[in-house]
Amino acid sequence: MIVSIIPVYAQSSNTIVVNGEGVISIEPDVARISLGAETQDNNPLTAQNRNSTIMSAVIDSLKALGIDESDIRTTNFSMHPIHDWRNNERVHRGYQVTNMINVTVRDLELIGSVLTAASEAGANLSTHISFGLLDGTSAYNQALALAVTNATGKAQAIAQSLGRTLGSAINVTESSTAHFMPRTAWSAEFDGLAMAVPQAAGGVPVQGGELAVTAHVQITFAIP
C-alpha cells in the first residue's frame, strides 16, 4: 500500500529515503496441528477401511476434547499402489492410504491433550504445529507504527549529520504485509509420540513461545 502525502517536494532532489522496521513480540492465541494416519494392505478396500476407522476414532477423540467440527479439516486423502524393486523388476506389494487433517486449537492448553488423544486413537503420521493469531490486525498496526518511528529516527540522524533540517514526509510506502514468525517452533515424528515423550497432566508438553510480528516501511522526507 502506498500513501502519498502532498508531494510538494516531489521534483526536488533535497530528499532522504529511509527504510524502517518495527517488531513486536506477542503470545499466540491459536495453534494449527497437522496430523493423520497411513495404512497399508494388499487389498485397497481393506487399507481404506482401516484408515477410515482410525481417522474416525481420531476425530471423535478431538471432538471429545471440545474441538469444534468446523476446526477439523481434511487437507489430503490419497490411495496408491506400493511397489518394491527386486532383481531389477518392479514387484507390487499392496496399497497405501493416507489421510491428513488440520486441527485448529483455540485453547492452547489443549495442545498436549490433542496430540496424546490423536496418537492413542491411532494417528501415526508426522505432525507439525504452527502458532498464530486469530486476528493479527492490531499487532501488525503496532509494528507498523514502530516501523515509522524507526524510519523517522534514521532520517533525523541523517539530516542532522548533514547539517540540514528534517522536513515533512513526502511519500510513505508500506513495503511488507502482515508477517507473523514464531520465535519457537515444534515438530516431531508422530510414531508412538505420546508414549515416548514424558507427559504432563494435559498430555504431551508443548510450548507456544512468542510470535515476532514484523512490519517494514519506506519513507521519503524533504530536507529543505
Side-chain angles (χ1 to χ4, degrees), residues 108-141:
L108 299 188
E109 293 185 359
L110 285 179
I111 294 176
S113 297
V114 166
L115 294 173
T116 299
S119 180
E120 291 176 345
N124 60 5
L125 288 181
S126 60
T127 180
H128 176 74
I129 303 177
S130 61
F131 296 93
L133 299 172
L134 288 172
D135 184 358
T137 302
S138 176
Y140 180 66
N141 286 342

Side-chain angles (χ1 to χ4, degrees), residues 12-92:
S12 172
S13 61
N14 294 324
T15 59
I16 298 174
V17 180
V18 291
N19 294 311
E21 178 182 76
V23 182
I24 67 167
S25 296
I26 188 170
E27 292 186 0
D29 58 16
V30 67
R32 292 177 175 84
I33 306 174
S34 177
L35 55 88
E38 177 183 282
T39 53
Q40 298 179 2
D41 195 88
N42 289 329
N43 186 303
L45 183 59
T46 300
Q48 180 175 313
N49 288 340
R50 287 177 179 172
N51 196 287
S52 296
T53 298
I54 292 173
M55 291 309 295
S56 293
V58 169
I59 291 172
D60 287 344
S61 71
L62 298 179
K63 290 180 180 178
L65 290 174
I67 304 297
D68 193 89
E69 187 172 0
S70 63
D71 286 331
I72 304 172
R73 178 173 59 89
T74 298
T75 56
N76 177 60
F77 180 87
S78 65
M79 179 171 62
H80 59 82
I82 308 170
H83 298 94
D84 285 336
W85 287 92
R86 299 174 186 171
N87 299 322
N88 293 324
E89 292 185 1
R90 193 172 72 164
V91 179
H92 175 74

